[in-house]
Amino acid sequence: MNKNQLRLAQAALSVVLLAAPAAWADSNVRLADAQKAYAEVDYENTRRLAKAALERGGNDRASTAELYLLWGTAAAALDQADEARTAFLYVLSINPDAKLERSLSPKIRAPYLEARGSMSRADGKAPLNLTLQRRQQELEVTLTDTSHLVARIGLATRAQQDAPFARQYLDAAPHQRVPTPQASELQFFLQALDRHRNVLFELGNQDDPERLALVGSGPRLTADAAHGPDVNRTPYYITAGAFAALGVAAGGIATAEYLRREDAARDWNGTGCEHPGMTREQQCGDVDTRRQRAESLAIGFAAGSGAMLLGGIVTLLLAPSSPSKASVAVDAGPGNMMLRLRATL
């Protein structure tokens, strides 16, 4: 390789290494320009800059939410209520907990409140969500998009830690499946994108991907082998039964002591303790002592009964379930990611 070829190779490598940081920096500059215009109460320029930054695309989730918020606020201030409402729908899909400042005028807050009202759901589920789980020999991608804002889904996968991610774009369909790679574990990240490829939702990312355990591609297991060895649940049942028996016994004692307490209370309040010349305490002090003792025992045994019965219930809940087949699935919501082990009975 001559010197000119070496220089060209070095220049090409520099472009590759600097491309991603430059794009990220450019995105931040565009957001900063829109924020500056908003701080100067220049709503026309705020609207123009935010809209242009979004149409250019490639913004991460946080920048996308901020740009749509600036766009919606500026549009509302300029009496573009429909445009503002649409922008606020994007904001609330990205972050359902997003709120406007209360100091803003009703003209600005009205489209936001309309957008929030249109997204309210009785089941309490997030308006935008993505999950990935294994279904037999395929991966199933599930999209929840109540406002129909997602244009496509980005899926990146790799089977090895140091391997590059294989990227593909999927339609914004509620359910779709892709082939499962031949590996024991899959690293991946998912992105819900608008029509300009701005990130509206993400599950994992390139620097911190999610992981999904995969079943090997060997021969199909028989039913007994798949279920695994039987688990002895008898000790749990015996312990739970003992707790229950003790709880019932303690409840019976508590009832008996309560009845004794009631008898002593009737004696204490009766005419037998009201003779002239002596106080009720002098005449029936032993009755009051008996009443107080029975009351304390009734309360103590009642509490013990409840604790024993609760212990029996907890023991039953801790008992191993019947043999099952386990599969791993990933669930996530905005700001919340979790790898969940699901058992299919």
Side-chain angles (χ1 to χ4, degrees):
M1 180 181 292
N2 58 39
K3 292 183 178 179
N4 290 333
Q5 291 174 324
L6 180 59
R7 291 193 188 97
L8 288 174
Q10 291 173 338
L13 179 60
S14 298
V15 170
V16 171
L17 292 176
L18 294 175
W24 178 81
D26 184 55
S27 175
N28 281 347
V29 169
R30 286 180 273 142
L31 173 59
D33 289 341
Q35 291 172 327
K36 180 180 178 182
Y38 179 77
E40 294 172 351
V41 199
D42 186 350
Y43 292 127
E44 190 66 53
N45 209 23
T46 300
R47 176 192 179 201
R48 180 183 63 82
L49 290 170
K51 182 178 178 181
L54 288 166
E55 290 177 346
R56 188 169 180 177
N59 294 286
D60 61 24
R61 186 182 181 189
S63 297
T64 300
E66 181 68 16
L67 286 168
Y68 272 116
L69 181 61
L70 290 168
W71 184 4
T73 304
L78 297 171
D79 295 318
Q80 301 296 323
D82 291 340
E83 183 179 310
R85 189 183 307 109
T86 300
F88 287 137
L89 277 176
Y90 279 94
V91 175
L92 292 169
S93 290
I94 298 171
N95 179 14
D97 297 325
K99 292 181 174 59
L100 290 185
E101 297 179 9
R102 293 188 176 276
S103 59
L104 293 176
S105 67
K107 181 174 69 172
I108 296 177
R109 292 182 59 83
Y112 161 79
L113 294 174
E114 291 176 14
R116 176 172 286 280
S118 68
M119 296 182 65
S120 62
R121 301 183 64 194
D123 56 14
K125 293 183 179 179
L128 182 57
N129 190 34
L130 275 174
T131 63
L132 178 71
Q133 55 187 337
R134 186 178 185 276
R135 295 292 188 189
Q136 298 179 350
Q137 299 303 315
E138 295 178 309
L139 297 174
E140 182 179 61
V141 179
T142 302
L143 169 67
T144 300
D145 180 18
T146 60
S147 298
H148 307 290
L149 303 177
V150 178
R152 60 181 60 121
I153 298 171
L155 171 62
T157 59
R158 69 183 180 189
Q160 297 179 357
Q161 177 70 34
D162 299 327
F165 281 98
R167 299 172 185 263
Q168 56 184 308
Y169 290 98
L170 310 174
D171 294 333
H175 300 280
Q176 50 194 315
R177 296 187 178 187
V178 296
T180 303
Q182 298 296 317
S184 59
E185 182 183 76
L186 181 71
Q187 295 186 9
F188 73 93
F189 61 92
L190 273 171
Q191 293 178 327
L193 308 171
D194 67 7
R195 60 194 181 95
H196 299 295
R197 296 197 180 186
N198 298 298
V199 180
L200 304 177
F201 178 90
E202 61 184 353
L203 179 59
N205 54 60
Q206 184 167 338
D207 296 327
D208 186 19
E210 294 293 306
R211 288 170 169 78
L212 179 65
L214 301 176
V215 178
S217 59
R220 185 179 298 274
L221 298 177
T222 64
D224 290 340
H227 283 247
D230 290 336
V231 179
N232 184 11
R233 296 178 293 279
T234 302
Y236 291 88
Y237 296 152
I238 293 176
T239 303
F243 274 126
L246 290 173
V248 171
I253 296 175
T255 301
E257 291 298 330
Y258 175 77
L259 294 175
R260 291 193 183 96
R261 184 263 178 202
E262 290 297 300
D263 289 339
R266 280 193 294 270
D267 292 343
W268 172 260
N269 293 315
T271 57
C273 299
E274 296 178 350
H275 297 295
M278 298 178 65
T279 64
R280 188 182 296 272
E281 180 66 29
Q282 291 173 333
Q283 298 176 59
C284 300
D286 58 332
V287 174
D288 190 43
T289 300
R290 178 160 48 90
R291 179 188 61 82
Q292 293 178 5
R293 180 175 178 277
E295 181 176 308
S296 299
L297 289 174
I299 294 173
F301 277 103
S305 175
M308 292 295 178
L309 293 174
L310 180 60
I313 294 173
V314 171
T315 302
L316 287 177
L317 293 176
L318 293 176
S321 60
S322 58
S324 61
K325 293 183 292 183
S327 61
V328 176
V330 176
D331 294 328
N336 176 34
M337 291 176 285
M338 176 172 59
L339 187 65
R340 179 178 296 167
L341 180 66
R342 293 177 177 170
T344 304
L345 300 179

